[in-house]
Amino acid sequence: MKPSKDSSSRGGRLRGKLSFGLGDRLRSAFSRGGADVDWDDLEETLIGADLGVAATQEVLDSVRASLGRSKDADPHDALRSALLGVLGNADRALALEPPGTSVGVPIVVVGVNGVGKTTSVGKLARMLVAEGYGVVLAAADTFRAAAADQLETWGTRAGVAVVRSDRVGGDPGAVAFEAGERARESGADVVLVDTAGRLHNKRDLMDELGKILRVASRVRPPAEVLLVLDATTGQNGLAQARVFTEVAGVTGVILAKLDGSARGGIVIAIERELGIPVKFVGLGERADDFAPFDPEAFVDGLLA
Ligand code: GDP
């Protein structure tokens, strides 16, 4: 799926919404004028923004190299390029065919309870519908009736069918399978599967996610396995993320609650340490508070 006109206007929304308040700290690191930078201050600021040690060093090296090449280089511009450089050119588009050309392709959404998973599934459904996709939602978190209710509310708002289990603790694989069948009957392009996020132990999680992925794949192999992370948990979220990437073959990250985080650098840490692109960000609790991740808007937010 290529970013549509609609999603590039969401890039504009991202630009307006993201401000991490690093600007003042950075202006102080650069206040000596010209290429004379307070490197300790700059390093502390980047670490404080949750970039992580490795990415911070890479950014500092890149800024030093730019300033070393030209006496007239502007440190602010050098930093902007360095941050864009560490983010790289990952493919952040969903691996979907255009609307109307495939049927029942699963997108499985995983993550620990409370990170914003169900909300993100609802927002993504709405975005896909706006782009012309037919969507069926699968409430495969069968242990929490409230999660299925919440998903139904999102489904009703987006005008899409929601398949849920008729009993608490029902088989999540069966829900994913039935949603696939429903998509086939109605010709819907995508099945968005909301999974359970109890991280009691890795073995349970592995078994359950493995089963959902196998069952979902019986109709079509998943186009994406999206991991939802909570931006406000910072570096702690990375440990969680590693477990899921080992278990579920994650293809992209949805970073929720970026609106509530003063430490947006976590995007960079996630991408560097997991090698998985951030594809979407959550910017609030409302349906519209969701956007494809746009590196330039994000870096401008970091530097604002
Ligand atoms: P789940 O348990 O992972 O499915 O999490 P939920 O989707 O139920 O979300 C948990 C809480 O986080 C709810 O109160 C949501 O409204 C809130 N939430 C989800 N996404 C965002 C976001 O992007 N920004 C903010 N500020 N809150 C969010």
Side-chain angles (χ1 to χ4, degrees):
M1 184 182 79
K2 292 288 152 241
S4 66
K5 224 168 156 198
D6 193 33
S7 56
S8 60
S9 72
R10 280 195 193 85
R13 173 148 69 235
L14 186 65
R15 204 170 281 280
K17 278 243 181 187
L18 291 181
S19 174
F20 301 102
L22 285 194
D24 288 344
R25 294 277 323 254
L26 293 169
R27 274 183 282 283
S28 113
F30 296 151
S31 65
R32 296 179 188 178
D36 190 9
V37 173
D38 183 337
W39 294 103
D40 289 342
D41 198 7
L42 181 54
E43 179 171 4
E44 238 178 70
T45 306
L46 296 176
I47 296 271
D50 256 345
L51 246 79
V53 175
T56 296
Q57 284 315 320
E58 197 177 311
V59 167
L60 291 174
D61 290 348
S62 164
V63 174
R64 274 200 193 93
S66 309
L67 299 183
R69 272 195 299 276
S70 158
K71 282 250 172 303
D72 303 325
D74 174 24
H76 197 274
D77 292 346
L79 178 59
R80 186 174 188 278
S81 307
L83 290 167
L84 285 171
V86 285
L87 278 167
N89 310 317
D91 185 0
R92 299 171 198 282
L94 285 181
L96 288 179
E97 301 299 325
T101 55
S102 49
V103 174
V105 178
I107 294 180
V108 180
V109 181
V110 302
V112 176
N113 285 346
V115 293
K117 192 158 29 80
T118 303
T119 307
S120 298
V121 169
K123 291 169 171 176
L124 183 57
R126 193 181 133 107
M127 195 192 88
L128 289 173
V129 167
E131 291 178 357
Y133 288 95
V135 177
V136 173
L137 295 178
D141 181 355
T142 60
F143 285 91
R144 291 190 307 159
D149 292 346
Q150 197 188 335
L151 200 66
E152 274 198 318
T153 307
W154 281 102
T156 306
R157 270 194 238 155
V160 305
V162 180
V163 174
R164 62 186 291 176
S165 180
D166 49 13
R167 63 187 176 86
V168 171
D171 177 8
V175 173
F177 184 73
E178 197 189 319
E181 294 282 287
R182 186 79 68 86
R184 228 176 24 185
E185 285 156 24
S186 63
D189 305 80
V190 179
V191 177
L192 272 180
V193 185
D194 188 17
T195 61
R198 288 152 304 126
L199 202 57
H200 286 328
N201 71 56
K202 205 166 133 182
R203 170 122 236 124
D204 285 351
L205 181 78
M206 193 160 1
D207 287 351
E208 185 163 305
L209 283 180
K211 187 167 174 207
I212 292 175
L213 289 166
R214 269 196 313 281
V215 173
S217 303
R218 272 190 223 147
V219 182
R220 286 281 303 271
E224 300 272 352
V225 178
L226 299 176
L227 171 66
V228 182
L229 294 175
D230 176 342
T232 64
T233 60
Q235 297 279 332
N236 291 338
L238 275 175
Q240 266 174 26
R242 276 191 207 99
V243 175
F244 280 94
T245 52
E246 283 168 28
V247 170
V250 177
T251 57
V253 168
I254 299 177
L255 190 62
K257 309 189 197 181
L258 197 53
D259 55 305
S261 174
R263 306 175 137 208
I266 193 65
V267 172
I268 292 171
I270 289 168
E271 293 209 340
R272 272 197 56 106
E273 289 179 34
L274 304 178
I276 297 169
V278 173
K279 296 197 168 179
F280 298 95
V281 292
L283 300 164
E285 299 190 68
R286 290 173 310 134
D288 279 347
D289 297 330
F290 190 73
F293 179 66
D294 175 59
E296 294 218 3
F298 166 75
V299 167
D300 289 340
L302 266 186
L303 298 180

